[in-house]
Amino acid sequence: SSVLLVYILGTNDDNELLLKSALTTFYETVSAILKKNVEKKALFEKIDSIILAADELIEGGVIMEVDPGNILNRVVIKQEEIPFSEQSVTQVLQTAKEGLKWSLLR
């Protein structure tokens, strides 16, 4: 069994309930993306979707969305709409994913 630790940090002035809501949303979104299979291999295969989900959840330090369903819908839509001209971005993500995989497996 694998353990995935995720931290959401805030300042002393931040609302703890909102931070907990963001953490719960991220957990539920990642669980749905990984289909409850929180293993290193599944994580690496879906890292681009997980990063995109984190970007949809929090932008510039501001919590933008706390509904896992909305985040999942946006992740699916954005992945389907990658134009051919931006395939190099996808290739960069794939390279980063491979580098991350090898650094964590050492």
Side-chain angles (χ1 to χ4, degrees):
S1 89
S2 294
V3 175
L4 176 64
L5 299 175
V6 177
Y7 297 93
I8 301 237
L9 303 175
T11 65
N12 290 336
D13 298 330
D14 288 333
N15 184 329
E16 291 177 26
L17 295 176
L18 188 57
L19 293 174
K20 183 182 182 316
S21 178
L23 182 60
T24 301
T25 299
F26 188 70
Y27 171 79
E28 290 174 4
T29 304
V30 170
S31 293
I33 290 170
L34 298 178
K35 296 179 174 77
K36 308 274 184 200
N37 180 23
V38 185
E39 297 288 329
K40 279 185 182 181
K41 183 177 179 183
L43 180 78
F44 291 129
E45 289 172 355
K46 300 286 187 173
I47 193 72
D48 52 342
S49 296
I50 294 168
I51 291 170
L52 190 53
D55 184 56
E56 288 295 322
L57 173 67
I58 298 173
E59 187 171 321
V62 177
I63 298 171
M64 303 299 288
E65 179 66 66
V66 291
D67 182 357
N70 288 343
I71 293 172
L72 285 170
N73 288 336
R74 289 185 193 144
V75 167
V76 169
I77 289 170
K78 284 189 177 182
Q79 288 181 335
E80 291 174 354
E81 294 181 351
I82 297 175
F84 184 74
S85 63
E86 292 185 17
Q87 290 296 315
S88 62
V89 173
T90 304
Q91 292 169 347
V92 169
L93 283 174
Q94 183 65 27
T95 303
K97 183 167 88 171
E98 289 296 318
L100 180 62
K101 177 172 70 172
W102 288 112
S103 68
L104 291 174
L105 290 176
R106 286 184 191 170

